[in-house]
Amino acid sequence: FGSIVDPAKEATKEGSGHCSKMHAIVKHLARHVPGKRWYVVTDDDTLLNVPRLLEVLASHDDREAVYVGERYGWAHRERLPGTNYITTGGGMAISGPALQQLNDCNHCTCTRPDSPDDMMLGSWFTSLEVTIVHETGFHQSEPHNYHPEVLRLSEPPVSFHRYNLQLPGSASEEERAKARRKNWRQWKELYFQEAGGSSSGG
């Protein structure tokens, strides 16, 4: 994304809140990949159950301006409505009309280049009156951060986020990569299911 994003900065723990990167992604998709029914954006450490994702998207009208995922919120008070947003960590799906509205929006700009991307998207879509839909299958965190009964009684998982790595700081990158793959294989076996089927974890 050219000079908008500095890979040397974004690849470190000191990386920004990514608003400028998200803004660039939106512009890129609208310009170079137009006319799609849905656009799915996730973090690079998000595990997706693609068959289930497609089932969820098929249940929504992509002709409407809508974006879908795990809804969070901030600044909600008794006398203040606050703002809702979909977390990028859990993954989000933006309908074609919603992306087009965002691309055409003149006031939808980052307050700072490192503003939180998902919060800024929420404020932009709220101002555009794009429908924000909470889907319980999207998860901003790892499975162990949700009560087992919540996972059992919710819709089948679409996503989980991060790796749940519990390794010493001296662990090599090879050891970290091996642990990530192991955790993700376990999550897939326990929580993900084939479209229209049941998970192997029961």
Side-chain angles (χ1 to χ4, degrees), residues 55-94:
E55 280 188 336
V56 169
L57 296 185
S59 70
H60 295 280
D61 188 351
D62 57 85
R63 296 169 297 180
E64 301 292 331
V66 60
Y67 89 125
V68 178
E70 183 175 25
R71 186 183 66 193
Y72 274 28
W74 88 93
H76 288 281
R77 301 288 189 274
E78 183 177 354
R79 299 181 183 276
L80 186 69
T83 301
N84 294 316
Y85 64 96
I86 298 298
T87 65
T88 49
M92 66 177 70
I94 305 171

Side-chain angles (χ1 to χ4, degrees), residues 23 30 32 48-49 60-61 68 76 79 91 131 133 147 154 180:
H23 195 264
H32 298 289
L48 280 176
N49 179 355
H60 295 280
D61 188 351
V68 178
H76 288 281
R79 299 181 183 276
T131 302
V133 178
H147 193 285
S154 297
R180 293 184 189 114

Side-chain angles (χ1 to χ4, degrees), residues 32-144:
H32 298 289
V33 198
K36 302 299 181 182
R37 296 169 60 192
W38 293 102
Y39 298 85
V40 177
V41 180
T42 75
D43 285 3
D44 60 2
D45 57 349
T46 302
L47 184 66
L48 280 176
N49 179 355
V50 175
R52 178 58 186 161
L53 171 66
L54 295 177
E55 280 188 336
V56 169
L57 296 185
S59 70
H60 295 280
D61 188 351
D62 57 85
R63 296 169 297 180
E64 301 292 331
V66 60
Y67 89 125
V68 178
E70 183 175 25
R71 186 183 66 193
Y72 274 28
W74 88 93
H76 288 281
R77 301 288 189 274
E78 183 177 354
R79 299 181 183 276
L80 186 69
T83 301
N84 294 316
Y85 64 96
I86 298 298
T87 65
T88 49
M92 66 177 70
I94 305 171
S95 70
L99 184 83
Q100 190 60 54
Q101 286 191 35
L102 189 58
N103 183 61
D104 295 340
C105 177
N106 292 323
H107 68 268
C108 298
T109 57
C110 299
T111 55
R112 299 186 315 275
D114 61 350
S115 296
D117 55 355
D118 45 13
M119 291 184 176
M120 290 304 304
L121 275 173
S123 65
W124 297 338
F125 279 135
T126 297
S127 71
L128 295 171
E129 298 185 343
V130 169
T131 302
I132 301 174
V133 178
H134 174 69
E135 281 281 356
T136 61
F138 291 78
H139 299 91
Q140 166 69 9
S141 194
E142 305 101 325
H144 73 270

